[in-house]
Amino acid sequence: HGRAEVRSTALWTLERLATRNNRSAIDAVCMRLEHSESDTRLAAIRGLHRVATKSNDYALDQISVRLEHQSPLTRVAALEALAQMSRKGDVHSFQRVAERVGDEELAVRKVAARKLGQVGARGDEFAIRSVGNLLDHSDKEVRAAAVNALPDVAEKGDWEAIDQISRRLGSSKPGIRKSATRGLLQVTEPGDRRALEACTRHLESARDLEVRQDAARALRQLGSPGDDKVMIPLARSWANLQIK
């Protein structure tokens, strides 16, 4: 129907009258994910849980079909719906979302990176590596979304997360180094020994002055005030003219 209020009322009525997990009802709501009007797509996303139980295979399959839709708006809506309807740690849903990080549209890539944290299991090494690898992404927005997703897949102090992120402190690209520092702040407590050791390694061994400077900044941000693990490496590097 051409009027948004009529479409909204019809969808509301369908959601409340349909038997849960009825395939016809699921099809009808999923079709609304393809609508050109944002209000209709949003109503469909919100209404899916009324016609299908969480992790219902048929609903997830019908949503996933829309991940390949020609419209990026529909692909974004499908990502939102898939994350909402999947149980955290669902491997198939995680893989489907991860594939969209390579989408041709930035808006889709950014949402996919953010939703990886919502779908991935906390503490799962594959999820941590997948999100951590996005810190290398060429898009600033995708890197930022990955940083925000890290706490959803990694506990504070998680060794795998710290290892994955700290490698990026030595990147030749300033944007990646900054994302790595922000990522470490997300998954460590102040003064975390492994994070400080990683910063110190880059501070003392990197040939590039800018890499050393960023490592010094990261060390200051990650350390506790007055901590010898921060002050001594910084003083030594400054005395040796390794940093300014």
Side-chain angles (χ1 to χ4, degrees):
H1 199 280
R3 294 173 59 188
E5 59 269 28
V6 175
R7 294 196 303 271
S8 180
T9 300
L11 190 57
W12 183 88
T13 302
L14 172 65
E15 292 163 2
R16 280 155 183 78
L17 293 180
T19 304
R20 218 165 188 204
N21 295 332
N22 177 278
R23 292 192 172 192
S24 296
I26 293 171
D27 287 339
V29 175
C30 285
M31 279 295 295
R32 285 3 181 236
L33 296 174
E34 302 179 18
H35 204 279
S36 60
E37 294 290 335
S38 60
D39 287 349
T40 300
R41 295 194 303 274
L42 182 59
I45 294 168
R46 290 174 173 170
L48 270 166
H49 73 278
R50 295 193 182 97
V51 297
T53 52
K54 202 174 186 73
S55 76
N56 177 274
D57 288 339
Y58 185 76
L60 295 180
D61 287 343
Q62 291 307 303
I63 294 167
S64 297
V65 168
R66 272 79 187 181
L67 293 174
E68 304 292 338
H69 196 276
Q70 63 182 1
S71 168
L73 297 175
T74 294
R75 298 199 296 276
V76 166
L79 283 167
E80 298 278 1
L82 189 63
Q84 175 184 280
M85 296 300 293
S86 299
R87 292 193 185 280
K88 191 167 179 63
D90 184 309
V91 175
H92 294 300
S93 291
F94 186 87
Q95 290 173 338
R96 288 164 171 168
V97 174
E99 288 172 0
R100 286 296 104 198
V101 177
D103 196 276
E104 61 186 18
E105 292 289 335
L106 174 58
V108 180
R109 296 195 295 270
K110 185 166 60 173
V111 172
R114 189 174 75 243
K115 292 302 174 182
L116 280 177
Q118 186 174 337
V119 178
R122 206 167 195 204
D124 180 77
E125 289 190 14
F126 178 71
I128 292 169
R129 285 196 301 271
S130 297
V131 175
N133 286 339
L134 294 181
L135 297 179
D136 290 326
H137 204 281
S138 57
D139 292 325
K140 178 181 179 180
E141 292 88 346
V142 172
R143 293 198 303 271
V147 167
N148 292 331
L150 280 167
D152 293 325
V153 295
E155 301 281 356
K156 289 274 188 179
D158 186 286
W159 182 89
E160 179 69 25
I162 294 171
D163 181 59
Q164 282 289 318
I165 299 166
S166 60
R167 295 176 191 176
R168 275 78 187 182
L169 292 172
S171 172
S172 61
K173 298 177 180 178
I176 293 175
R177 295 197 300 272
K178 288 179 173 61
S179 293
T181 300
R182 290 195 294 270
L184 283 174
L185 288 168
Q186 293 276 36
V187 300
T188 61
E189 300 288 357
D192 184 281
R193 177 181 57 80
R194 285 166 296 187
L196 296 182
E197 288 175 353
C199 293
T200 301
R201 281 198 303 273
H202 290 292
L203 172 63
E204 296 182 340
S205 64
R207 295 183 178 181
D208 189 310
L209 174 60
E210 290 187 359
V211 173
R212 295 197 300 272
Q213 292 285 124
D214 282 344
R217 293 188 190 97
L219 198 56
R220 293 188 191 100
Q221 292 179 55
L222 293 162
S224 302
D227 189 340
D228 285 348
K229 291 185 178 66
V230 176
M231 303 305 296
I232 292 174
L234 287 175
R236 185 166 54 233
S237 295
W238 181 79
N240 293 335
L241 303 179
Q242 290 178 300
I243 57 173
K244 296 179 181 179

Short mmCIF file of all heavy atoms in Angstrom, two decimals, residues 206-241:
data_model
loop_
_atom_site.label_atom_id
_atom_site.label_comp_id
_atom_site.label_asym_id
_atom_site.label_seq_id
_atom_site.Cartn_x
_atom_site.Cartn_y
_atom_site.Cartn_z
N ALA A 206 61.10 -0.69 16.97
CA ALA A 206 60.63 -0.18 15.67
C ALA A 206 61.65 0.79 15.08
O ALA A 206 62.22 1.62 15.78
CB ALA A 206 59.28 0.49 15.83
N ARG A 207 61.84 0.68 13.79
CA ARG A 207 62.77 1.59 13.10
C ARG A 207 62.12 2.93 12.78
O ARG A 207 62.80 3.95 12.70
CB ARG A 207 63.27 0.94 11.81
CG ARG A 207 64.10 -0.32 12.03
CD ARG A 207 64.62 -0.87 10.71
NE ARG A 207 65.45 -2.06 10.91
CZ ARG A 207 66.03 -2.72 9.92
NH1 ARG A 207 65.87 -2.31 8.67
NH2 ARG A 207 66.78 -3.78 10.19
N ASP A 208 60.81 2.91 12.58
CA ASP A 208 60.08 4.11 12.18
C ASP A 208 59.80 4.98 13.42
O ASP A 208 59.22 4.52 14.40
CB ASP A 208 58.76 3.70 11.51
CG ASP A 208 58.04 4.87 10.87
OD1 ASP A 208 57.86 5.89 11.55
OD2 ASP A 208 57.63 4.74 9.69
N LEU A 209 60.20 6.24 13.34
CA LEU A 209 60.00 7.16 14.47
C LEU A 209 58.52 7.31 14.82
O LEU A 209 58.15 7.34 16.00
CB LEU A 209 60.59 8.54 14.14
CG LEU A 209 60.32 9.65 15.17
CD1 LEU A 209 60.90 9.28 16.53
CD2 LEU A 209 60.88 10.99 14.67
N GLU A 210 57.66 7.40 13.81
CA GLU A 210 56.23 7.58 14.08
C GLU A 210 55.65 6.37 14.79
O GLU A 210 54.77 6.51 15.64
CB GLU A 210 55.48 7.85 12.77
CG GLU A 210 55.79 9.21 12.17
CD GLU A 210 54.92 9.52 10.97
OE1 GLU A 210 54.09 8.67 10.60
OE2 GLU A 210 55.08 10.61 10.41
N VAL A 211 56.12 5.18 14.44
CA VAL A 211 55.66 3.97 15.13
C VAL A 211 56.09 4.02 16.59
O VAL A 211 55.30 3.70 17.50
CB VAL A 211 56.22 2.70 14.45
CG1 VAL A 211 55.88 1.45 15.28
CG2 VAL A 211 55.65 2.55 13.04
N ARG A 212 57.32 4.45 16.85
CA ARG A 212 57.81 4.55 18.24
C ARG A 212 57.02 5.61 19.01
O ARG A 212 56.67 5.41 20.18
CB ARG A 212 59.30 4.89 18.25
CG ARG A 212 60.19 3.80 17.66
CD ARG A 212 61.65 3.98 18.06
NE ARG A 212 62.22 5.25 17.63
CZ ARG A 212 62.80 5.47 16.45
NH1 ARG A 212 62.89 4.47 15.56
NH2 ARG A 212 63.30 6.65 16.13
N GLN A 213 56.74 6.74 18.34
CA GLN A 213 55.97 7.80 19.00
C GLN A 213 54.59 7.31 19.39
O GLN A 213 54.10 7.58 20.50
CB GLN A 213 55.84 9.01 18.07
CG GLN A 213 57.14 9.75 17.79
CD GLN A 213 57.58 10.59 18.98
OE1 GLN A 213 58.68 10.46 19.48
NE2 GLN A 213 56.71 11.46 19.44
N ASP A 214 53.93 6.58 18.48
CA ASP A 214 52.59 6.07 18.78
C ASP A 214 52.64 4.99 19.86
O ASP A 214 51.72 4.88 20.69
CB ASP A 214 51.93 5.51 17.51
CG ASP A 214 51.39 6.62 16.62
OD1 ASP A 214 51.25 7.76 17.10
OD2 ASP A 214 51.10 6.35 15.44
N ALA A 215 53.71 4.20 19.87
CA ALA A 215 53.87 3.19 20.93
C ALA A 215 54.02 3.87 22.28
O ALA A 215 53.49 3.40 23.30
CB ALA A 215 55.07 2.30 20.63
N ALA A 216 54.74 5.00 22.30
CA ALA A 216 54.91 5.74 23.54
C ALA A 216 53.57 6.30 24.02
O ALA A 216 53.25 6.25 25.22
CB ALA A 216 55.91 6.89 23.34
N ARG A 217 52.78 6.81 23.09
CA ARG A 217 51.45 7.32 23.46
C ARG A 217 50.57 6.20 24.01
O ARG A 217 49.84 6.39 24.99
CB ARG A 217 50.79 7.97 22.24
CG ARG A 217 51.46 9.23 21.75
CD ARG A 217 50.64 9.93 20.66
NE ARG A 217 51.40 10.99 20.04
CZ ARG A 217 52.07 10.88 18.90
NH1 ARG A 217 52.05 9.71 18.25
NH2 ARG A 217 52.74 11.89 18.39
N ALA A 218 50.63 5.06 23.33
CA ALA A 218 49.82 3.92 23.79
C ALA A 218 50.26 3.48 25.18
O ALA A 218 49.41 3.16 26.03
CB ALA A 218 49.97 2.75 22.80
N LEU A 219 51.55 3.48 25.43
CA LEU A 219 52.08 3.09 26.73
C LEU A 219 51.54 4.01 27.82
O LEU A 219 51.13 3.55 28.90
CB LEU A 219 53.61 3.13 26.68
CG LEU A 219 54.40 2.36 27.75
CD1 LEU A 219 54.02 0.90 27.76
CD2 LEU A 219 55.90 2.53 27.48
N ARG A 220 51.53 5.31 27.54
CA ARG A 220 51.00 6.27 28.52
C ARG A 220 49.52 6.04 28.78
O ARG A 220 49.05 6.14 29.92
CB ARG A 220 51.22 7.70 28.02
CG ARG A 220 52.68 8.12 27.94
CD ARG A 220 52.79 9.60 27.62
NE ARG A 220 54.15 9.99 27.28
CZ ARG A 220 54.61 10.16 26.03
NH1 ARG A 220 53.78 9.95 25.00
NH2 ARG A 220 55.84 10.51 25.81
N GLN A 221 48.75 5.75 27.72
CA GLN A 221 47.30 5.58 27.87
C GLN A 221 46.95 4.28 28.60
O GLN A 221 45.97 4.22 29.35
CB GLN A 221 46.63 5.59 26.49
CG GLN A 221 46.67 6.94 25.79
CD GLN A 221 46.01 6.90 24.43
OE1 GLN A 221 44.86 6.51 24.29
NE2 GLN A 221 46.75 7.29 23.41
N LEU A 222 47.75 3.24 28.36
CA LEU A 222 47.43 1.92 28.91
C LEU A 222 47.98 1.71 30.31
O LEU A 222 47.49 0.85 31.04
CB LEU A 222 47.98 0.83 27.99
CG LEU A 222 47.31 0.72 26.62
CD1 LEU A 222 48.20 -0.07 25.66
CD2 LEU A 222 45.95 0.04 26.74
N GLY A 223 49.00 2.51 30.68
CA GLY A 223 49.63 2.31 31.98
C GLY A 223 48.94 3.04 33.10
O GLY A 223 48.09 3.91 32.90
N SER A 224 49.31 2.67 34.31
CA SER A 224 48.82 3.36 35.50
C SER A 224 49.79 4.50 35.83
O SER A 224 51.00 4.38 35.59
CB SER A 224 48.74 2.39 36.69
OG SER A 224 47.90 1.30 36.38
N PRO A 225 49.30 5.61 36.37
CA PRO A 225 50.17 6.75 36.70
C PRO A 225 51.32 6.33 37.63
O PRO A 225 51.11 5.66 38.63
CB PRO A 225 49.22 7.72 37.41
CG PRO A 225 47.86 7.37 36.88
CD PRO A 225 47.88 5.89 36.67
N GLY A 226 52.53 6.71 37.23
CA GLY A 226 53.70 6.41 38.05
C GLY A 226 54.21 4.99 37.96
O GLY A 226 55.17 4.62 38.65
N ASP A 227 53.64 4.18 37.08
CA ASP A 227 54.04 2.78 36.94
C ASP A 227 55.43 2.71 36.31
O ASP A 227 55.68 3.29 35.25
CB ASP A 227 53.02 2.05 36.05
CG ASP A 227 53.24 0.55 36.03
OD1 ASP A 227 54.35 0.09 36.36
OD2 ASP A 227 52.29 -0.17 35.67
N ASP A 228 56.35 1.98 36.96
CA ASP A 228 57.72 1.84 36.43
C ASP A 228 57.72 1.19 35.05
O ASP A 228 58.61 1.46 34.24
CB ASP A 228 58.57 1.00 37.38
CG ASP A 228 58.99 1.79 38.62
OD1 ASP A 228 58.81 3.01 38.62
OD2 ASP A 228 59.48 1.15 39.58
N LYS A 229 56.73 0.32 34.79
CA LYS A 229 56.67 -0.35 33.48
C LYS A 229 56.37 0.65 32.37
O LYS A 229 56.55 0.34 31.19
CB LYS A 229 55.60 -1.45 33.50
CG LYS A 229 55.95 -2.64 34.37
CD LYS A 229 54.90 -3.72 34.22
CE LYS A 229 55.24 -4.96 35.05
NZ LYS A 229 55.20 -4.68 36.49
N VAL A 230 55.91 1.82 32.75
CA VAL A 230 55.66 2.90 31.79
C VAL A 230 56.80 3.90 31.80
O VAL A 230 57.37 4.25 30.77
CB VAL A 230 54.32 3.61 32.10
CG1 VAL A 230 54.13 4.80 31.15
CG2 VAL A 230 53.16 2.65 32.00
N MET A 231 57.15 4.36 32.98
CA MET A 231 58.11 5.45 33.10
C MET A 231 59.51 5.06 32.65
O MET A 231 60.19 5.84 31.96
CB MET A 231 58.15 5.93 34.56
CG MET A 231 56.81 6.37 35.13
SD MET A 231 56.01 7.66 34.10
CE MET A 231 57.19 8.99 34.29
N ILE A 232 59.96 3.85 33.01
CA ILE A 232 61.34 3.46 32.67
C ILE A 232 61.54 3.31 31.16
O ILE A 232 62.50 3.88 30.61
CB ILE A 232 61.73 2.17 33.43
CG1 ILE A 232 61.83 2.46 34.93
CG2 ILE A 232 63.05 1.60 32.90
CD1 ILE A 232 62.07 1.23 35.79
N PRO A 233 60.67 2.58 30.43
CA PRO A 233 60.86 2.50 28.97
C PRO A 233 60.78 3.86 28.29
O PRO A 233 61.55 4.13 27.35
CB PRO A 233 59.71 1.58 28.52
CG PRO A 233 59.36 0.80 29.72
CD PRO A 233 59.57 1.71 30.87
N LEU A 234 59.87 4.70 28.75
CA LEU A 234 59.74 6.04 28.15
C LEU A 234 61.00 6.86 28.39
O LEU A 234 61.52 7.51 27.48
CB LEU A 234 58.53 6.76 28.73
CG LEU A 234 57.15 6.27 28.27
CD1 LEU A 234 56.05 7.00 29.02
CD2 LEU A 234 56.97 6.44 26.77
N ALA A 235 61.51 6.84 29.62
CA ALA A 235 62.72 7.60 29.95
C ALA A 235 63.92 7.09 29.16
O ALA A 235 64.73 7.87 28.64
CB ALA A 235 62.99 7.52 31.45
N ARG A 236 64.03 5.77 29.05
CA ARG A 236 65.15 5.16 28.33
C ARG A 236 65.10 5.54 26.85
O ARG A 236 66.12 5.88 26.25
CB ARG A 236 65.12 3.65 28.51
CG ARG A 236 66.31 2.93 27.91
CD ARG A 236 66.40 1.49 28.42
NE ARG A 236 65.17 0.76 28.19
CZ ARG A 236 64.51 0.10 29.14
NH1 ARG A 236 64.95 0.08 30.39
NH2 ARG A 236 63.39 -0.56 28.86
N SER A 237 63.93 5.47 26.27
CA SER A 237 63.78 5.80 24.85
C SER A 237 64.03 7.27 24.58
O SER A 237 64.64 7.65 23.58
CB SER A 237 62.37 5.42 24.37
OG SER A 237 62.18 4.03 24.44
N TRP A 238 63.58 8.11 25.50
CA TRP A 238 63.82 9.55 25.35
C TRP A 238 65.31 9.86 25.47
O TRP A 238 65.87 10.61 24.68
CB TRP A 238 63.04 10.31 26.42
CG TRP A 238 63.20 11.81 26.32
CD1 TRP A 238 62.58 12.65 25.46
CD2 TRP A 238 64.09 12.59 27.11
NE1 TRP A 238 63.03 13.94 25.67
CE2 TRP A 238 63.95 13.94 26.67
CE3 TRP A 238 64.97 12.31 28.16
CZ2 TRP A 238 64.66 14.99 27.24
CZ3 TRP A 238 65.69 13.37 28.74
CH2 TRP A 238 65.53 14.68 28.27
N ALA A 239 65.98 9.21 26.42
CA ALA A 239 67.42 9.45 26.62
C ALA A 239 68.22 8.97 25.42
O ALA A 239 69.26 9.56 25.09
CB ALA A 239 67.89 8.73 27.91
N ASN A 240 67.76 7.90 24.77
CA ASN A 240 68.46 7.36 23.59
C ASN A 240 68.01 8.02 22.30
O ASN A 240 68.36 7.54 21.20
CB ASN A 240 68.22 5.85 23.51
CG ASN A 240 68.89 5.10 24.64
OD1 ASN A 240 69.86 5.57 25.21
ND2 ASN A 240 68.35 3.93 24.99
N LEU A 241 67.23 9.07 22.42
CA LEU A 241 66.74 9.84 21.26
C LEU A 241 65.88 9.00 20.33
O LEU A 241 65.81 9.26 19.13
CB LEU A 241 67.93 10.45 20.48
CG LEU A 241 68.88 11.35 21.26
CD1 LEU A 241 70.01 11.85 20.36
CD2 LEU A 241 68.14 12.54 21.87
#
